[in-house]
Amino acid sequence: MKSTKKDIRALTKEQLRDFFISKGDKAFRGNQVYEWLWSKSAYTFEAMTNLSKATREMLQEHFVINHIEVDDMQRSKDGTVKNAVRLHDGLVVESVLIPTETRTTACVSSQVGCSLDCKFCATARLKRMRNLNADEIYDQVAAINKESLLYYNRKLSNIVFMGMGEPLMNYNNVIKSIEKITSDEGLGMSPKRITLSTSGVPKMIKKMADDEVKFNLAVSLHSAIDEKRTQIMPFNATFPLEELKGALQYWYQKTQRRITYEYVVWGGINDQKEDIEALIQFCKYVPCKVNLIEYNPIDDGAFQQADEHAINNYISNLEMHGIVVNVRRSRGKDIDAACGQLANKS
Ligand code: SAH
């Protein structure tokens, strides 16, 4: 049953301090509770052991602690870990821990389902059920940080917003979560190690630039030809490439930070010379690099990864034009944890 008590994590530190003052207690009690809730990720009032029993009971009377629950955890042969995360209202999202030799990356979700309709992505089929709040995003990161310590004996080093959902369609909560992740009262991570990946919502890319965010930007491009991009990412009809280009130039002008383009090459879709030429042209607009992502099949085979020849063609032509290109192998495919495969199958 859903509680009618207020979620204590919706309170700012100042509000918590005021609450204790209103109860005739000391303001610093608010700081203590805040620390428990955030940097220590306490999910019960009992766990807050430096508070008196009476204080803990008083909190219990007034508040609940809404938090995520890692319902199910799968480990891939390659070390990737996928969490099925249950939210307080019973909905489920997925997040992924991706280890390499030197790093642990968390791939987190920003929405339950997705607002967009990319034809090659399993999450799109779920449609958008709701936005995650900032705490739910933060909790995914905190949970993966714990798993990283447990399994790899090191802290989480990087975060990518490449799980379920379109982060720029849930902007305020994503920004709030990043503020907490990067603050010393949260996880104290550097924004330079965080990448937000978007399908490209021009207005919001400009807003991020105006807000002077310090994290990195990746754009899921997949085609630099409008008609083709609209076929595979229908929202491109609303936000065509010309507008995207304008927003990216604005971003670069304000932030001076290079953009990453994510790009999958599919056989019979974007594997021709004209596709490569259009991409090279698009790459001239702002300093950037291209990540060629391996396709993770989601179903019947309407989309198929292009053959090696086509991929090599991309690589050699991009490099010939001085464009930095990386090939990104999929991780966690055996547990449906790879890009575009997050769809709550279990
Ligand atoms: N909505 C955001 C973030 C989530 S998708 C975005 O579009 O960027 C994260 C990345 O996975 C995107 O680059 C997306 O294009 C890619 N992706 C989606 N489905 C995929 C699939 N089946 N195989 C490989 N990559 C996929």
Side-chain angles (χ1 to χ4, degrees), residues 58-73:
M58 187 271 290
L59 288 171
Q60 186 86 50
E61 273 167 39
H62 286 82
F63 299 108
V64 288
I65 305 177
N66 280 347
H67 59 84
I68 64 160
E69 206 78 69
V70 177
D71 240 17
D72 182 43
M73 206 204 77

Side-chain angles (χ1 to χ4, degrees), residues 209-226:
D210 286 337
D211 289 347
E212 296 179 13
V213 300
K214 297 285 183 284
F215 49 79
N216 303 301
L217 176 62
V219 174
S220 304
L221 193 59
H222 304 311
S223 175
I225 300 174
D226 261 315

Side-chain angles (χ1 to χ4, degrees), residues 51 65 135 250 259 271:
L51 304 181
I65 305 177
D135 307 353
Y250 188 85
I259 293 160
D271 58 351

